[in-house]
Amino acid sequence: MSIRIAPSILSADFARLGEEVRAIDAAGADYIHIDVMDGHFVPNLTIGPAVVKALRPHSSKIFDVHLMISPVDPFIKDFADAGADIITVHPEAGAHVHRTLQTIKALGKKAGVSLNPSTPLSAISHVMDLVDLVLIMTVNPGFGGQSFIPLLDKISEARKMIAATGRAIDLEVDGGITVQTAPQAIAAGADVLVAGTAVFKQGPDHYASSIKALRGD
Ligand code: DX5
Ligand code: ZN
């Protein structure tokens, strides 16, 4: 299974975001992970659709947009129009996650669903047919730089649920990914790793080597 790395621009220099996206693209990022927070669903405020739209010309890589906003439904089309390729939502962000996923698919985008550390996998067992990506949070969402919660059994269970569908569904892990924790997540079945701090903390000269190290090359 090929491992893909999704640097989270939450840890980038927000004053130079376009340049940062070009730099991680050139450094070998597979997805560009964009963390959208509303100060309500999570205790932080970040990026809206206008910023996603402004970044779109800076990379042709997959824009992996992680929506931590509630209600989420009124904003799905805005992020689709802004250039998101994958739109990931939390089941708690609206009353009807099945409908939300249908909305994403109807807009021609890939649909992801994200589970907080305390949210059981059973929350998505009846929507797997609509899902292109399962995101297992290994921190409580809201901030970069937190410690990895070792939910390795949950990742393994998610891998089994995906295998049972017979479809190609990404299994992404987000939060506290480092060169120490990446191999654990991969061994448990993850194939896409989100990394903010671990990619950006050493500065642009190290983006390529950091991405390579996380991939385990
Ligand atoms: C947390 C975000 C993550 C975060 C990861 O709410 O969803 O994507 O940026 O940051 P690190 O890799 O620093 O834990
Ligand atoms: Zn994220």
Side-chain angles (χ1 to χ4, degrees), residues 72-73 89-103 127:
V72 68
D73 288 353
V89 299
H90 285 250
E92 297 88 350
H96 307 285
V97 70
H98 187 282
R99 179 181 289 143
T100 302
L101 295 169
Q102 283 181 318
T103 302
V127 294

Side-chain angles (χ1 to χ4, degrees), residues 50-213:
V51 175
V52 175
K53 188 177 179 191
L55 290 173
R56 190 63 277 188
H58 292 269
S59 173
S60 56
K61 299 267 169 88
I62 291 166
F63 272 21
D64 171 28
V65 176
H66 178 191
L67 298 182
M68 289 160 273
I69 61 175
S70 174
V72 68
D73 288 353
F75 296 98
I76 299 285
K77 187 169 187 305
D78 292 343
F79 284 99
D81 291 346
D85 297 298
I86 305 170
I87 298 178
T88 296
V89 299
H90 285 250
E92 297 88 350
H96 307 285
V97 70
H98 187 282
R99 179 181 289 143
T100 302
L101 295 169
Q102 283 181 318
T103 302
I104 298 169
K105 302 293 282 182
L107 289 163
K109 305 299 180 178
K110 293 201 165 177
V113 67
S114 176
L115 300 177
N116 287 330
S118 64
T119 305
L121 284 164
S122 60
I124 58 168
S125 55
H126 298 292
V127 294
M128 289 298 280
D129 58 322
L130 288 169
V131 164
D132 301 294
L133 178 147
V134 173
L135 172 51
I136 304 290
M137 292 301 306
T138 42
V139 296
N140 288 296
F143 302 97
Q146 303 181 80
S147 299
F148 183 76
I149 302 168
L151 297 165
L152 301 173
D153 290 351
K154 189 176 185 182
I155 299 168
S156 304
E157 276 302 310
R159 171 52 63 200
K160 284 186 204 146
M161 278 175 71
I162 288 170
T165 69
R167 294 176 46 238
I169 298 174
D170 288 351
L171 180 52
E172 184 173 59
V173 174
D174 183 4
I177 292 292
T178 64
V179 285
Q180 283 79 36
T181 58
Q184 299 172 38
I186 293 167
D191 56 6
V192 185
L193 303 179
V194 176
T197 309
V199 168
F200 286 96
K201 72 167 183 266
Q202 293 184 82
D205 290 349
H206 299 272
Y207 291 170
S209 57
S210 299
I211 289 170
K212 204 167 179 309

